[in-house]
Amino acid sequence: MLSIEAVLRGVGAALLCLGAFAGLVSAIGFYRFKNFYLRLHAATVGTIWGCVFPLIGASLISVTMDELGEAKWFAAGASIVTAVIVFLLAPAGSHALARAVHKARVARVQPCISDALDPNLCG
């Protein structure tokens, strides 16, 4: 019979592995994609999946570690708060960066079907 601590450690380890996989996929996408906007997408995916999931996993694992004493609750809480902040702010930062680059007309939108903000950048 599995204890709740074993389940939390298993889920935490799975989230750590999922975050590592997401970081790897993000790095490959960042290397393979050809323009700024697609690379920004890959970097944002890596930020969300590669940061939020491991932080939640570390939080779950730290809750089960009695060796940490009372600090386990601090570590778990800090990890959860950090994960929520990254989850909320990473897409906003990515959007702001993409908008600034588009407004400065630094990078072209490719492949482009329609660009309602500036049709001259399409293509």
Side-chain angles (χ1 to χ4, degrees):
M1 181 158 177
L2 290 175
S3 66
I4 189 71
E5 291 181 354
V7 172
L8 287 177
R9 284 187 184 197
V11 172
L15 287 173
L16 286 174
C17 291
L18 182 62
F21 177 72
L24 178 67
V25 169
S26 172
I28 292 171
F30 192 78
Y31 178 72
R32 300 271 315 195
F33 288 155
K34 299 197 183 305
N35 66 27
F36 168 76
Y37 296 104
L38 295 176
R39 287 181 176 169
L40 183 63
H41 172 71
T44 304
V45 167
T47 302
I48 299 292
W49 281 38
C51 186
V52 171
F53 286 160
L55 281 171
I56 293 172
S59 169
L60 293 177
I61 290 173
S62 70
V63 166
T64 63
M65 296 185 71
D66 292 331
E67 298 86 8
L68 295 176
E70 294 297 322
K72 70 180 181 181
W73 299 112
F74 176 74
S79 296
I80 292 293
V81 168
T82 304
V84 169
I85 289 172
V86 168
F87 186 74
L88 291 176
L89 295 182
S94 175
H95 175 78
L97 188 59
R99 175 127 175 104
V101 167
H102 190 274
K103 195 169 187 171
R105 306 182 73 152
V106 174
R108 299 188 68 80
V109 180
Q110 291 178 342
C112 181
I113 297 172
S114 175
D115 188 353
L117 295 175
D118 191 355
N120 294 331
L121 283 179
C122 192

